[in-house]
Amino acid sequence: MDHIRYALELGDGPLPNGFTDMHFLHNCLPELAPADIDITTTLGGIKLSVPFLINAITGGTDNVIDINRKLAQTAKSVGAAIAVGSQYGAVKKVKAAIVVLK
């Protein structure tokens, strides 16, 4: 939860994000139709509509379930991927459930 709190408190931070260093040169390509451009890609054998990955950024606490749900819904709606991060919490819960079942 500290990671989330600090990220929200810091905002964009005092340092530039690097986008101000980028400059786009206009290069009109009239022979191309945007509808003909295919940006689909494959990641780990999964076809993605867009070549974007939402990284694992929230940690595994129960307090971020809503944030993770919204990130997953966003990724699904645009055809992007989302990383799951550490699976320690899930493995820990499964082990605890197995112990209880025994």
Side-chain angles (χ1 to χ4, degrees), residues 1-4 57-68 86 89-90 93:
M1 285 307 301
D2 287 342
H3 177 81
I4 300 295
I57 57 171
T58 61
T61 73
D62 291 336
N63 298 333
V64 296
I65 290 173
D66 190 49
I67 294 172
N68 287 333
S86 171
K93 287 179 183 179

Side-chain angles (χ1 to χ4, degrees), residues 16-35:
N17 57 23
F19 289 115
T20 56
D21 296 331
M22 296 182 186
H23 302 280
F24 294 99
L25 300 175
H26 178 70
N27 186 10
C28 184
L29 301 171
E31 67 276 3
L32 293 178

Side-chain angles (χ1 to χ4, degrees), residues 33-91:
D36 295 338
I37 299 172
D38 180 12
I39 61 170
T40 60
T41 191
T42 302
L43 179 65
I46 300 170
K47 185 177 179 180
L48 303 172
S49 300
V50 294
F52 292 105
L53 170 74
I54 298 173
N55 202 355
I57 57 171
T58 61
T61 73
D62 291 336
N63 298 333
V64 296
I65 290 173
D66 190 49
I67 294 172
N68 287 333
R69 181 180 295 114
K70 288 177 181 176
L71 289 171
Q73 289 170 340
T74 300
K76 181 179 179 182
S77 72
V78 299
I82 183 168
V84 295
S86 171
Q87 293 300 299
Y88 175 76
V91 171

Side-chain angles (χ1 to χ4, degrees), residues 87-99:
Q87 293 300 299
Y88 175 76
V91 171
K92 185 176 175 183
K93 287 179 183 179
V94 169
K95 284 183 178 181
I98 291 171
V99 170

